[in-house]
Amino acid sequence: MLFLLFDPFLANALCAAVLLACMSGPLGCITVWKGMARFGETFAHVALFGAVIAVLGGMLPSFGMAAVALVLSLLLPLLAERTRLPIDSLLGILAPGSVALALVLTQWTGLAIDFEALLFGELLTTTPRDLATIVAGITATGVLLACIWRAVLLDVLSRDLALSEGLPVRLYDLMTTAALGLFIALGVRVAGLLLINAFLVVPASCLVMLSRRSVFLRNPERMAVGAALLNIVCVLVGFVVALLADLPAGASICAVLFLVFCTMSLCVR
Amino acid sequence: MSSPTDKTRNKTRKETRKKTRQRRGSIAPSVAPSSEVLLRAEDLSLVRDGRHLLEDVSITLRREEIVTLLGPNGGGKTTLLQSLLGLYRASHGRVVRAKGLRIGYVPQRLNPSHLMPLSLRRFAHLGNDASVARVERSFSELGLSSLAEQPLYVLSGGELQKAMLARATAKKPDCLVLDEPLSGVDDAGRQRLYGWLERYSRENRCAILMASHDLHLVMAATDRVLCLDRRIRCEGKPQNVVQSKAFAKLFGSNRYALYAHRHDTNERP
């Protein structure tokens, strides 16, 4: 059964998942450190709205989701500055609002949308073209992150210190959410909203727990690498399980991540 | 030491200024005017959320000078320091910094997130190119050596103050801007910390501008005290300022005990 992993068709899917898993390590850590873990979740809701709009306009739903991801990521820091409300409040406002709009629009226009595909993605249908897009996007996100990494560490620690040293923190905020938006926009077609979310939040949270126990992991970079590795292991396990038991791949990986978290929260103190 | 006539002249001048609201240069400094000006605020006013935080504040910091900013809670000390650092845009007036000025800033508090495990050593090196030897030296002088590998979130308030001081001095600043540097430091530690600051300032020709809400904690080596309660209420050598009417009005007349930490051997010329 495992020889299927070497099938070129599946190899695309596996490569895509591993690449996304890899990038989720550092990106997820930043998301958790900055208290933006709900960003992905909110995006899942807002993306439904994007998908509905795209279908109404005669485009692919994934295109609408990607567009909305980018717009949201650029708009959020501006909105936060304008309203001077904390990010999590804004996310809490955007999520139900956009779902409501999406539902009203679907009812009104009588559209039929495959919400399951949006949530879990279609990992096994990854084409070489999807893969190329993901490679390009991951590279861009990686470069963006590498540029702002140290500044973000200082900013997470103390915004006043970062500002007093003349760092353009607003620009960095924008770059962080842009990297996040770009990542979600690219991954959403193949991985789906739930898996992208799980990729970002679950391993980073596990590593936070582990770093309290292990002196070796008490270092931001090691935490990021650790989260990426944990993600990759879960992708591989989830993939094999999906192949062996003939289950949907995205959901299996998501479930494995969840089980890892449950085990860790019971065992690591 | 300025003569009584000087003081009266200063006072009259200040009052005229208040009445006519003339926008002019800074208040006459008590240090020889030839020494280089590092940092200067001219008629700085700041209104935030409808509240006047600063009104016509002028302040000058020269090389090798130690200036203490005294004032009640809500008097605008932190706001003034942060305006000087460029964290706020003034509603009126301006801030002038010497070209290429390196400032070491120690904010009032640091609340390190327990989600991001950053060691004290990493923190001291973050965002500067300080040599290992230099950081190690300040660690040992401040008694932080044994804590170097600890994550910041396990350190106490006093230890964090010293940690920020170690980081602020790591980049060889021209001036240190300290916001209540003694908060969270125990009595014995205060004496040592002031001693260290004095020595550091002298050896490195580094100016110090520090805020304090407690007049008992004014450093013996202070060249100049400024009392800030939205406006500069009085200014001058510590022993003169304590006897001024404005000072009595601001702090109550029965609080004349100034030097809680006199170092007879360390008096500056």
Side-chain angles (χ1 to χ4, degrees):
Chain A
M1 203 69 175
L2 285 181
F3 67 90
L4 275 175
L5 283 179
F6 300 101
D7 181 282
F9 183 63
L10 285 180
N12 280 340
L14 193 58
C15 275
V18 167
L19 281 173
L20 291 172
C22 221
M23 197 62 236
S24 306
L27 207 50
C29 282
I30 288 188
T31 321
V32 170
W33 291 335
K34 287 186 78 121
M36 290 181 2
R38 289 195 62 193
F39 187 92
E41 186 207 324
T42 301
F43 176 72
H45 293 96
V46 178
L48 292 180
F49 176 65
V52 172
I53 293 285
V55 172
L56 280 178
M59 287 174 287
L60 286 173
S62 56
F63 181 78
M65 292 160 94
V68 164
L70 277 176
V71 171
L72 177 66
S73 66
L74 295 176
L75 222 55
L76 200 62
L78 299 178
L79 198 61
E81 202 183 311
R82 197 180 166 78
T83 58
R84 283 165 64 190
L85 288 170
I87 293 274
D88 60 341
S89 304
L90 292 176
L91 295 177
I93 292 166
L94 288 169
S98 50
V99 171
L101 282 181
L103 283 181
V104 166
L105 273 178
T106 20
Q107 274 307 21
W108 198 25
T109 54
L111 278 179
I113 287 180
D114 182 3
F115 282 110
E116 202 190 318
L118 295 184
L119 286 180
F120 282 105
E122 293 156 300
L123 195 55
L124 294 180
T125 65
T126 310
T127 61
R129 198 168 155 189
D130 288 331
L131 193 58
T133 325
I134 287 176
V135 170
I138 295 282
T139 317
T141 319
V143 170
L144 211 56
L145 268 197
C147 290
I148 60 172
W149 182 259
R150 284 173 150 213
V152 168
L153 294 188
L154 186 60
D155 185 31
V156 167
L157 208 58
S158 160
R159 174 139 289 197
D160 282 352
L161 273 182
L163 276 170
S164 77
E165 279 159 38
L167 296 178
V169 285
R170 279 187 200 148
L171 179 66
Y172 291 153
D173 272 352
L174 210 60
M175 284 167 82
T176 312
T177 46
L180 207 52
L182 189 67
F183 175 76
I184 295 177
L186 284 164
V188 81
R189 209 213 57 84
V190 293
L193 292 164
L194 292 185
L195 185 55
I196 285 276
N197 247 321
F199 270 166
L200 286 174
V201 184
V202 178
S205 304
C206 289
L207 262 290
V208 168
M209 289 192 283
L210 285 175
S211 75
R212 296 198 190 114
R213 282 296 294 272
S214 142
V215 179
F216 179 77
L217 287 172
R218 272 186 201 159
N219 168 315
E221 287 77 23
R222 284 184 195 152
M223 235 181 105
V225 172
L229 290 178
L230 185 60
N231 249 338
I232 291 173
V233 170
C234 291
V235 163
L236 294 178
V237 173
F239 228 81
V240 171
V241 169
L243 285 183
L244 291 178
D246 196 21
L247 296 168
S252 307
I253 298 171
C254 221
V256 171
L257 280 164
F258 182 59
L259 287 178
V260 167
F261 173 78
C262 290
T263 321
M264 230 174 245
S265 58
L266 287 176
C267 302
V268 182
R269 266 173 53 85
Chain B
M1 207 209 251
S2 54
S3 67
T5 43
D6 258 342
K7 240 170 62 190
T8 344
R9 202 185 306 143
N10 261 344
K11 218 175 135 194
T12 353
R13 216 186 71 182
K14 226 185 283 175
E15 259 152 31
T16 341
R17 240 162 47 93
K18 220 185 278 175
K19 274 177 205 151
T20 56
R21 292 205 147 245
Q22 251 178 0
R23 315 287 182 197
R24 278 203 294 136
S26 68
I27 293 164
S30 62
V31 172
S34 59
S35 62
E36 180 194 355
V37 172
L38 299 178
L39 203 54
R40 186 210 297 274
E42 292 169 1
D43 293 328
L44 206 64
S45 297
L46 200 105
V47 184
R48 248 193 144 199
D49 298 326
R51 189 176 169 200
H52 288 263
L53 299 176
L54 297 173
E55 284 177 46
D56 294 332
V57 173
S58 295
I59 178 175
T60 308
L61 183 70
R62 288 157 195 281
R63 190 172 286 285
E64 292 180 79
E65 207 182 8
I66 299 184
V67 175
T68 300
L69 208 55
L70 265 182
N73 291 330
K77 298 183 299 291
T78 300
T79 313
L80 177 57
L81 294 187
Q82 295 192 338
S83 306
L84 288 170
L85 292 163
L87 267 66
Y88 296 124
R89 187 171 296 163
S91 318
H92 187 274
R94 61 177 192 148
V95 171
V96 185
R97 260 168 283 180
K99 244 186 205 148
L101 181 71
R102 277 193 307 252
I103 304 180
Y105 173 47
V106 175
Q108 204 164 1
R109 254 186 300 276
L110 187 68
N111 298 314
S113 154
H114 67 105
L115 298 174
M116 190 177 76
L118 198 70
S119 73
L120 172 56
R121 179 169 285 125
R122 238 343 255 298
F123 171 63
H125 283 284
L126 193 65
N128 58 47
D129 50 4
S131 71
V132 174
R134 193 176 167 79
V135 169
E136 291 310 312
R137 199 180 134 207
S138 54
F139 275 2
S140 75
E141 285 173 357
L142 289 165
L144 292 172
S145 297
S146 60
L147 301 170
E149 294 309 324
Q150 294 292 325
L152 287 179
Y153 58 77
V154 306
L155 302 188
S156 74
E159 286 164 347
L160 282 173
Q161 288 289 335
K162 292 184 206 162
M164 287 194 286
L165 209 51
R167 179 169 179 277
T169 52
K171 59 178 170 186
K172 292 194 179 182
D174 303 299
C175 71
L176 282 171
V177 174
L178 314 173
D179 198 349
E180 310 258 2
L182 294 188
S183 54
V185 179
D186 55 55
D187 278 344
R190 288 176 170 173
Q191 189 124 4
R192 272 203 304 275
L193 203 59
Y194 266 170
W196 184 83
L197 275 173
E198 243 178 271
R199 224 172 27 252
Y200 179 85
S201 160
R202 215 176 321 113
E203 284 169 9
N204 298 279
R205 299 190 69 224
C206 173
I208 295 180
L209 173 62
M210 75 169 100
S212 168
H213 68 274
D214 190 344
L215 64 133
H216 295 289
L217 298 179
V218 171
M219 202 157 116
T222 293
D223 295 306
R224 213 145 45 90
V225 172
L226 283 97
C227 302
L228 182 73
D229 187 17
R230 271 196 358 243
R231 300 167 168 277
I232 302 282
R233 302 291 178 176
C234 48
E235 174 181 15
K237 293 222 171 222
Q239 54 273 46
N240 295 350
V241 163
V242 203
Q243 283 155 24
S244 74
K245 271 191 187 150
F247 185 86
K249 210 171 150 195
L250 207 54
F251 290 102
S253 47
N254 56 343
R255 301 183 62 191
Y256 280 163
L258 192 57
Y259 295 142
H261 302 278
R262 187 189 289 278
H263 306 291
D264 294 325
T265 47
N266 281 338
E267 280 279 279
R268 284 165 68 97

